[in-house]
Amino acid sequence: MSESGRPTAIESYSRTPSTDVPMPEDAYLSEQVTPNNEEYLTRPEAAARCRVSPSTFDALRRQARVPFPDANMGNRMLWKSSTINAFLAAGGTRGCA
């Protein structure tokens, strides 16, 4: 603690999170959810939702026939579930010229 009795920046970052809600250890890795509870889909999950193989999804992505990713985490591309759902509701690749 600093002389004023407040925690220093390092101490405030090293605090453990609240344990009000029990979370499994890998919850942050297995569920990719935004603060407003919007689910992010990985490339294989987005491909499965579109009912194509990941390689077909990649080919469609390179041809700009599927939406661009909403986010990137490292080298992983992530799509919001609402983006993929809207894409499919609009006709999927049939809506592309």
Side-chain angles (χ1 to χ4, degrees):
M1 289 215 173
S2 67
E3 294 176 12
S4 65
R6 292 183 176 174
T8 62
I10 294 172
E11 290 170 340
S12 62
Y13 282 116
S14 64
R15 289 185 186 169
T16 57
S18 171
T19 57
D20 295 340
V21 179
M23 297 286 285
E25 284 184 26
D26 59 344
Y28 295 106
L29 299 175
S30 64
E31 295 180 13
Q32 297 154 350
V33 179
T34 62
N36 62 358
N37 293 330
E38 174 102 38
E39 181 184 14
Y40 275 114
L41 303 173
T42 61
R43 183 183 61 87
E45 292 168 337
R49 180 137 333 161
C50 294
R51 296 182 180 180
V52 297
S53 69
S55 61
T56 300
F57 189 81
D58 286 342
L60 293 170
R61 185 181 48 79
R62 285 190 295 272
Q63 298 168 9
R65 296 180 65 192
V66 296
F68 288 105
D70 293 305
N72 290 313
M73 184 184 299
N75 62 352
R76 290 185 174 206
M77 294 174 280
L78 301 171
W79 288 261
K80 290 182 181 178
S81 59
S82 62
T83 300
I84 297 298
N85 292 341
F87 166 70
L88 295 172
T93 57
R94 288 179 296 190
C96 296

